[in-house]
Amino acid sequence: MNRSILRFSAALASGQIFGLGLSLSGMLNPARVQAFLDVFGNWDPSLAFVLGGAVLVAFIGVRAARRMGHPVLDDTFHLPTNQKIDAPLIIGSALFGLGWGLVGFCPGPAIASLSVTALTGGAPQVTLFVLAMLMGMTLRDRLWSRRP
């Protein structure tokens, strides 16, 4: 089978598994996410197990990648090389945290929620959030690419 078709199939399967995991864990419910973040109010600690599971899976994946010479469907791993904490990282992290706390969505669950919204004709807030997120990403890329 063609290598690019295998890559696409692997990416599609990974995305479906990720979306299913987000759905089963309750990460697509903004109220539940906001309750998890409300540590001084009506705190819902259940998502801590989801985050702990994600850290465990990532830990195992990183350890496995270090032992492999190259990925199964590519010639090299594409890992970040910048290890410095700078203003763009801090600003981006703050924006991520604000969006997550105020709206109850981060990028992955928001995109996964689009499918639920499309099927049920549900909340337009999800669509507005994703559009605003995409506009912010585009604006950031355009402004950042102009820097010397």
Side-chain angles (χ1 to χ4, degrees):
M1 188 178 272
N2 187 342
R3 193 173 192 188
S4 62
I5 292 173
L6 287 173
R7 284 184 191 161
F8 176 80
S9 300
L12 183 62
S14 297
Q16 289 174 330
I17 292 168
F18 181 67
L20 179 64
L22 290 173
S23 179
L24 291 174
S25 68
M27 291 288 291
L28 301 186
N29 181 352
R32 190 165 181 191
V33 171
Q34 289 173 321
F36 168 69
L37 297 172
D38 187 11
V39 294
F40 297 113
N42 190 18
W43 186 50
D44 178 4
S46 62
L47 293 184
F49 295 105
V50 175
L51 295 175
V55 168
L56 179 64
V57 168
F59 177 79
I60 292 168
V62 168
R63 300 292 291 185
R66 286 185 179 161
R67 292 181 177 205
M68 296 171 64
H70 61 85
V72 175
L73 297 175
D74 205 347
D75 297 325
T76 182
F77 286 104
H78 302 276
L79 302 173
T81 56
N82 183 3
Q83 294 184 354
K84 102 181 146 171
I85 297 174
D86 55 4
L89 177 64
I90 293 171
I91 293 167
S93 300
L95 286 172
F96 176 89
L98 283 170
W100 202 34
L102 292 173
V103 185
F105 278 127
C106 60
I111 291 171
S113 292
L114 279 178
S115 63
V116 174
T117 301
L119 291 174
T120 63
Q125 295 91 335
V126 176
T127 304
L128 289 173
F129 177 84
V130 171
L131 288 174
M133 179 181 73
L134 292 173
M135 287 190 314
M137 289 175 173
T138 302
L139 180 65
R140 184 255 174 223
D141 284 346
R142 289 180 189 240
L143 291 176
W144 200 257
S145 66
R146 293 183 186 167
R147 292 186 73 210

